[in-house]
Amino acid sequence: MTCFPGWTWEYIDDHMTFSRLAAMQAYWDVNPPLHLLARAYLQYEPKGKTSNDDAIAAAISEMAALNEGGIIHEIKTNVR
């Protein structure tokens, strides 16, 4: 999320919800970001996993598990 729109992790933490992420992903499915179009056009394949791929996948899985029933959204809403 930080590399494409240029957002900081703090901005994402303050403003991104799972429903907003789903809406952005639905939009990107129809209108892919330019860097993804260029990668597909050039048929670029990374040489291997980046050093933090496993950590990112684990964090996403944990967040998805926490969000069952909208828990993350409720936490973010009630903190402020």
Side-chain angles (χ1 to χ4, degrees), residues 4-77:
F4 172 60
W7 295 342
T8 63
W9 287 110
E10 291 77 17
Y11 181 87
I12 293 168
D13 188 42
D14 289 342
H15 300 284
M16 184 55 62
T17 63
F18 277 97
S19 59
R20 288 179 180 170
L21 177 60
M24 289 178 75
Q25 288 177 327
Y27 175 80
W28 289 336
D29 285 344
V30 177
N31 306 287
L34 182 58
H35 68 282
L36 297 180
L37 290 173
R39 179 180 175 169
Y41 178 78
L42 297 172
Q43 298 178 348
Y44 174 77
E45 292 294 329
K47 293 180 175 47
K49 292 191 325 183
T50 61
S51 61
N52 61 354
D53 281 352
D54 293 334
I56 291 171
I60 290 171
S61 295
E62 288 176 23
M63 288 174 47
L66 287 173
N67 196 46
E68 288 182 21
I71 294 170
I72 290 177
H73 180 71
E74 289 177 28
I75 292 170
K76 288 186 74 160
T77 305

